[in-house]
């Protein structure tokens, strides 16, 4: 969380890109907010083409408590989190963001995750600022914290680690040591400070405290915060064309292939263009007169009517397998 980024890749950024692509490739649902954060941090470091003129240089966005308070500079307060000192600094933080972001966004949803990241960014930076000022006021301890220059996304990452492990009863590895997962952020705070020179202890501590405060505020109210509601509405509008095209694609694919699913869907009846077998509940294409799974003749029930709830009439799985072997020879 310090230094002066050159914006030139020495081979580590392609490694980051390949790792991110491989992770996203294996996911059925691609977390868009995590991908956006990865892109924003990487572009702020590389500064390609016109972005070099649009983005402020790292000298203008260093997180410095003295300058932020003296000039009331929001640019240093917010943008410093998206700048990194060098390529290894960027790689370490982005790999951590990739792992934590995928897990949190997949479990929380993109709108709530985006709201959480924005909240943690403001809280971690604000707590770091207050800690630095408090050391000056109460202890007359100006250096190195009140006058230090830092950048990086690690404050938010420490807060995300606290939230991710808050309910975990498992153990995890922190730089080779096995510790309870819920205390992993504190262990990493101490170990990094001991063995990695030049890191911002106050910035990392501010992130941990921001994560604890966020969990406390969330436990006080189960209602979604206004920022989450706004982001959920915006993401819904932006993603509508994609969801519409995807629904058309899925509809066509199901009609043509004749493949389906076994069991009930969430609504309790079959999708348009398919009929559900009364014996094994397999969804078949309307182009088929016999069930592809068990060979039962097509039911007279219409595709939009609810399926039978008498589970005792269902054919056992072994019998279904035997029928399928007889029909297809395998």
């Amino acid at each position: 969380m310090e230094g002066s980024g050159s914006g030139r890749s020495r081979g580590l950024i392609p490694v980051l890109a390949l790792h991110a692509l491989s992770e996203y490739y294996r996911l059925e649902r691609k977390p868009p907010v995590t991908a956006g954060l990865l892109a924003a941090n990487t572009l702020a470091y590389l500064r390609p083409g016109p972005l070099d003129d649009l983005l402020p240089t790292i000298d203008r966005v260093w997180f410095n408590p003295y300058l932020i308070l003296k000039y009331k500079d929001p640019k240093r307060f917010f943008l410093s989190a998206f700048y990194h000192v060098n390529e290894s600094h960027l790689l370490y933080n982005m790999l951590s963001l990739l792992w934590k972001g995928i897990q949190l966004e997949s479990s929380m949803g993109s709108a709530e995750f985006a709201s959480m990241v924005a909240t943690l960014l403001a809280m971690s930076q604000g707590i770091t600022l207050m800690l630095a000022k408090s050391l000056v006021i109460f202890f007359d301890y100006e250096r190195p914290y009140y006058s230090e220059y830092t950048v990086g996304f690690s404050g938010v990452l420490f807060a995300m680690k606290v939230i991710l492990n808050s309910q975990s009863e498992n153990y995890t590895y922190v730089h080779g040591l096995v510790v309870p997962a819920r205390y992993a952020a504190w262990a990493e705070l101490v170990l990094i400070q001991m063995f990695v020179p030049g890191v911002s202890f106050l910035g990392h501590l501010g992130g941990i405290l921001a994560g604890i405060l966020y969990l406390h505020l969330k436990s006080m109210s189960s209602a979604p915060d206004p920022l989450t509601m706004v982001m959920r509405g915006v993401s819904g509008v932006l993603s509508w064309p994609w969801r519409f095209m995807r629904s058309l694609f899925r509809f066509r694919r199901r009609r043509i292939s004749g493949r389906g699913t076994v069991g009930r869907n969430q609504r309790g009846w079959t999708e348009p263009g398919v009929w559900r077998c009364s014996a094994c509940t397999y969804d078949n294409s309307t182009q088929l007169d016999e069930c592809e799974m068990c060979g039962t003749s097509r039911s007279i029930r219409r595709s939009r009517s609810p399926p039978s709830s008498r589970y005792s009439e269902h054919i056992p799985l072994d019998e279904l397998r035997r029928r399928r072997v007889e029909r297809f020879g395998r």
Side-chain angles (χ1 to χ4, degrees), residues 1 154-155 158 189 192-193 199-209:
M1 203 171 173
S154 53
F158 268 88
L189 171 70
I192 287 181
Q193 193 66 30
V199 298
S200 173
F201 174 80
L202 221 58
H204 295 170
L205 177 61
I208 294 177
L209 297 179

Side-chain angles (χ1 to χ4, degrees), residues 261-278:
T261 56
V262 176
R264 296 168 179 263
N265 58 24
Q266 292 179 350
R267 295 180 299 177
W269 59 83
T270 59
E271 299 285 349
V274 299
W275 62 274
R276 175 157 293 173
C277 177
S278 60

Side-chain angles (χ1 to χ4, degrees), residues 99-100 157-158 161-162 164-166 168 170-175 177-192 208:
W99 183 76
K100 296 180 178 69
L157 294 174
F158 268 88
K161 180 187 284 287
V162 171
L164 187 62
N165 295 326
S166 60
S168 177
N170 298 324
Y171 287 79
T172 185
Y173 284 95
V174 178
H175 300 288
L177 296 180
V178 180
V179 298
R182 64 176 58 189
Y183 303 119
W186 292 104
E188 187 172 0
L189 171 70
V190 175
L191 291 174
I192 287 181
I208 294 177

